[in-house]
Amino acid sequence: MFTLTQFKIGNDIVKLDLPENSHVKSLYEIINNDYLSLKRWLPWVDEIHSIEDERKFIEMARKDTALNKTIVSTILINGKAVGIIDLHNINRKNMRAEIGYWISRDIQGHGIVTESVKRFIEIVFKELNLNKLTIIAESENSKSRAVAERLNFEYEATLKEHLIYNNEFKDYIVYSKFSNR
Amino acid sequence: MFTLTQFKIGNDIVKLDLPENSHVKSLYEIINNDYLSLKRWLPWVDEIHSIEDERKFIEMARKDTALNKTIVSTILINGKAVGIIDLHNINRKNMRAEIGYWISRDIQGHGIVTESVKRFIEIVFKELNLNKLTIIAESENSKSRAVAERLNFEYEATLKEHLIYNNEFKDYIVYSKFSNR
Amino acid sequence: MFTLTQFKIGNDIVKLDLPENSHVKSLYEIINNDYLSLKRWLPWVDEIHSIEDERKFIEMARKDTALNKTIVSTILINGKAVGIIDLHNINRKNMRAEIGYWISRDIQGHGIVTESVKRFIEIVFKELNLNKLTIIAESENSKSRAVAERLNFEYEATLKEHLIYNNEFKDYIVYSKFSNR
Amino acid sequence: MFTLTQFKIGNDIVKLDLPENSHVKSLYEIINNDYLSLKRWLPWVDEIHSIEDERKFIEMARKDTALNKTIVSTILINGKAVGIIDLHNINRKNMRAEIGYWISRDIQGHGIVTESVKRFIEIVFKELNLNKLTIIAESENSKSRAVAERLNFEYEATLKEHLIYNNEFKDYIVYSKFSNR
Amino acid sequence: MFTLTQFKIGNDIVKLDLPENSHVKSLYEIINNDYLSLKRWLPWVDEIHSIEDERKFIEMARKDTALNKTIVSTILINGKAVGIIDLHNINRKNMRAEIGYWISRDIQGHGIVTESVKRFIEIVFKELNLNKLTIIAESENSKSRAVAERLNFEYEATLKEHLIYNNEFKDYIVYSKFSNR
Amino acid sequence: MFTLTQFKIGNDIVKLDLPENSHVKSLYEIINNDYLSLKRWLPWVDEIHSIEDERKFIEMARKDTALNKTIVSTILINGKAVGIIDLHNINRKNMRAEIGYWISRDIQGHGIVTESVKRFIEIVFKELNLNKLTIIAESENSKSRAVAERLNFEYEATLKEHLIYNNEFKDYIVYSKFSNR
């Protein structure tokens, strides 16, 4: 019901909405369908075992957004929930935060994430008066890194052996963007 | 940042937004300026003694809206917060809820509340799948009763001696509207 | 152990007591035996699935009574728990509250509820300094309405389509009684 | 409103009631008047600095009694709150508990505490199915020890240097009574 | 990781450590092996049904020690957790507390408990500025009573029928030791 | 009372202890004396306005250490509390954590921090089975950077404009050390 922004890509209407119960079913189906590809990059996927878990996540996302701890928004295409963009580790005092995102695999490749994150960033830079936004991606996650690069985030650092996946240490790449550049 | 709906009245842009910190200052000033007229009809006005109290109210309104206990939205005119519409006593099982509203006195008389509540009602009837909406107004509150009547709410009941104001018992008038009529 | 009031009807001793663990077994058996007739009028009946649920209800009733949120009392006949009277939606500021009651079916028809509610009302009118007491009954609940009428509560309003039962909307009848009449 | 037991001493009606807000004022006045004598034996007296503190104590006593942690009852004489009897350290599994009591100084000497505790003990022995009740008194507290002895509690033990008062160690005397003797 | 004290008995290194997760497995095995003898004297043994229960106990022991409610320490011999010593019912104001202890049966008889409790007592008498320490043992628990007596605790009292075991009432013996004697 | 490790530097005995109430006074005096130099690098210093604030910090540090959220230890020299070392952002799953430290200014320059952190690191690498430890220092904090370098931590990244101090953006330098190198 509550909308952050809304725009068109081709003939499709894309909305970034406050998460709500009516998004749960669609998001849970995507997590189920894209399970293997999502869990490669998103550790929380292994904690969603049922539609009830997803319902609880949406409730928590609404609550945390209400309390200004995070800003979570569902990506909807023509009314159907297809992904999430969020702002977390919000540090108002030092004017920085981190951005995360994921979208259904069958919709990838049409620029929806890039355009959605672009508009999301414009809003949060301005509304929260931030100086620096960070995107952190695993070094092997080429799609997520491509989004950061298309949005003109700059490479800032490599955090070595920062994550364990399948008993192997993986590196994180840190990208950042400043409001005044 | 999160918008429920948006429309124009003459040259003015009216938005119904999820309440946020940036609305606190403007709403608190209105409560201060309209203190006497507001407190005649809205008992909670006597609990707002400082801008900090209003900030806490907005935080609670966001949290309760996130938890689906209530739906609170700020009325903004050209970006300035001027009033509140809310849905409370939401009873999903029995498909009914109550509506409340108030607006800055210097903006009254231009149909803004009536049009805002009209659009708010359309959204919540549909999105929450409600059957019955109720507006409860004190019998002497002619402005609030006029809004209910202009919106084609029907008189349903008089609740006698339901409120004490200035050591006198006052009656409540209950108006209701059904989704299918 | 803690008694609100005690009186005789014929040879039977009727007590209104603070609910306690020793009442749980008897009340749960009545809810089980009268399941169909109780659930027609009392929606909470569908939430009592085990004696443990009833034990939790009694604990909560004691706690809410301790915190002055409600006043719940068990009706005991010759030491056996047979029903409940409660005062809820207590509004001290506006000096009003609502009354609810139910009793085992095999004891109905001897005036026990009417006399118990009568004495309960006298106590709460005086001890809580109330002006108005309300009894709300479904329009088809003739027994509950008869209790209200025998106690000289006056008809105040009909709340249309206020409850859904078996996929049908039902009306509520509001009865009220004032302390000074 | 909720009464544990009620009896007459001479022409006076003594009631043991669930504590309630209406007792706060009278109990607080007694604590104020008898401050020096009460604080000699009752360490909690030093934590009651205002009528608000006493109101919170009564609320907590009601809540703890509701949760079966303690059983607190106000002693009322002709409707006026004059003291407290309580059962604490209730150990249902091992069937034992401790008793405490205090009363306004100007009412002492008429057997009110002794008779009240006697009836209180009969109720809790039976209703809670206890085997052993304990009264613990400071060795120099002759009045409290006299109550225990008049009630036929037996001397069980001396706990040496168990309490510090005015920088001196004091002993506790433990009295006990068994249900079957 | 955090050590209260450390000493040698013969060739064995004995440590009293803040409980931690790495102690859980060893302590749980002892509780399982010594089940019958432990549960005769330690009622809590019946609440440890799984290694998870023991893990929760250790977590709670750490938390309560952090909050100064109790002081719990694991007894380790050559790095292996073999028992527990704790200080509970700590009353800083009246400068007293109680001591409890248990150790794996196959290690009993070498003076480890006696020496560990001796050093534990020295630390807590000094660090917590206590006047009186109490050991409470069931009258039939000859091993626990022997520890108290070897440590020069004096007999203080017999608390009759203070515990129910196997449907029989058992007495407690209270031993005490003062810091200045 | 609980000690993590203990060693000598020259004639001085250095202990790393679980924080406790007896450290509060000394730590608070250091924070007061070194206020200007500490607050340049440690933002939390501005939240310690009284000895009570420091007491609450120590209580929270004990509790968080008990819950394995952090590991905080006080540095004591000959029994006097002079600083703090802590492990935070502990990520057991990915086997990494961050280290922080500060010490009284008048004791700096004798290698106490370097030796203390060295021993602290050896313990936590082993006991928590970590792969990577990180030290994050402001780019202008030459003393803190010197500690990291003396301990053979390697430069990993510069986080640009990560902190605001006196209305200027400051960079963070990330140093890291791996267990197997």
Side-chain angles (χ1 to χ4, degrees), chain C residues 99 117-125 133 151 153 177:
Chain C
I99 284 177
V117 178
K118 180 163 173 272
R119 289 172 183 260
F120 183 85
I121 286 171
E122 283 165 11
I123 293 168
V124 298
F125 256 134
L133 285 173
L151 291 164
F153 276 65
K177 191 180 183 69

Side-chain angles (χ1 to χ4, degrees), chain D residues 22-116:
Chain D
S22 64
H23 305 162
V24 170
K25 190 160 166 288
S26 176
L27 292 174
Y28 181 64
E29 282 169 5
I30 295 167
I31 293 169
N32 253 355
N33 290 341
D34 298 358
Y35 180 71
L36 287 180
S37 56
L38 283 173
K39 95 163 199 169
R40 175 64 188 87
W41 312 118
L42 303 170
W44 54 260
V45 168
D46 263 344
E47 287 163 29
I48 304 292
H49 302 110
S50 66
I51 199 165
E52 180 61 18
D53 288 341
E54 181 65 13
R55 200 194 55 73
K56 277 182 194 156
F57 164 76
I58 290 296
E59 186 180 278
M60 197 186 65
R62 282 175 69 90
K63 200 170 151 191
D64 286 351
T65 302
L67 297 174
N68 293 310
K69 286 189 195 166
T70 59
I71 296 176
V72 185
S73 74
T74 308
I75 306 170
L76 297 120
I77 302 195
N78 303 323
K80 181 174 166 9
V82 296
I84 294 278
I85 300 180
D86 79 308
L87 194 76
H88 54 273
N89 287 348
I90 301 174
N91 188 324
R92 299 293 284 256
K93 201 179 155 209
N94 293 311
M95 298 172 65
R96 59 180 155 83
E98 283 179 40
I99 283 177
Y101 41 80
W102 66 267
I103 199 171
S104 169
R105 202 164 43 155
D106 60 10
I107 287 172
Q108 292 173 4
H110 300 78
I112 291 165
V113 164
T114 303
E115 186 65 21
S116 296

Side-chain angles (χ1 to χ4, degrees), chain C residues 8-22:
Chain C
K8 290 189 81 170
I9 292 194
N11 287 321
D12 296 318
I13 296 170
V14 182
K15 283 169 76 175
L16 302 188
D17 268 17
L18 185 66
E20 59 186 64
N21 274 341
S22 64

Side-chain angles (χ1 to χ4, degrees), chain B residues 94 96 131-132 156 178 181, chain C residues 40-41 136-141 158-173:
Chain B
N94 293 311
R96 58 179 155 84
N131 171 63
K132 180 182 185 180
E156 181 165 289
F178 295 87
R181 286 169 222 175
Chain C
R40 174 64 189 88
W41 311 119
I136 298 181
E138 210 182 293
S139 64
E140 301 169 8
N141 188 349
T158 299
L159 303 176
K160 280 174 284 183
E161 302 189 9
H162 222 62
L163 180 85
I164 298 179
Y165 183 78
N166 264 359
N167 299 318
E168 275 180 53
F169 288 108
K170 304 290 185 184
D171 297 346
Y172 269 148
I173 310 297

Side-chain angles (χ1 to χ4, degrees), chain A residues 43 93-96 131-132 154-164 169 172 174 178 181, chain F residues 43 93-96 131-132 134 154-164 169 172 174 178 181:
Chain A
K93 201 178 156 210
N94 293 311
M95 298 172 66
R96 58 180 155 83
N131 172 62
K132 181 184 186 180
E154 284 175 32
Y155 168 88
E156 182 166 289
T158 300
L159 302 176
K160 281 175 283 183
E161 302 189 10
H162 222 61
L163 180 84
I164 297 178
F169 288 108
Y172 269 147
V174 180
F178 295 87
R181 287 170 221 173
Chain F
K93 200 177 157 213
N94 293 311
M95 298 173 67
R96 57 179 155 83
N131 172 62
K132 180 183 185 180
T134 301
E154 284 175 33
Y155 169 86
E156 182 166 288
T158 300
L159 303 175
K160 280 175 286 184
E161 302 189 10
H162 222 63
L163 180 85
I164 297 178
F169 289 108
Y172 270 147
V174 181
F178 294 88
R181 286 169 223 174

Side-chain angles (χ1 to χ4, degrees), chain F residues 138-154:
Chain F
E138 210 182 293
S139 65
E140 301 170 7
N141 188 350
S142 53
K143 280 184 188 165
S144 183
R145 295 181 61 177
V147 170
E149 287 158 12
R150 272 196 297 273
L151 291 164
N152 295 317
F153 276 65
E154 284 175 33

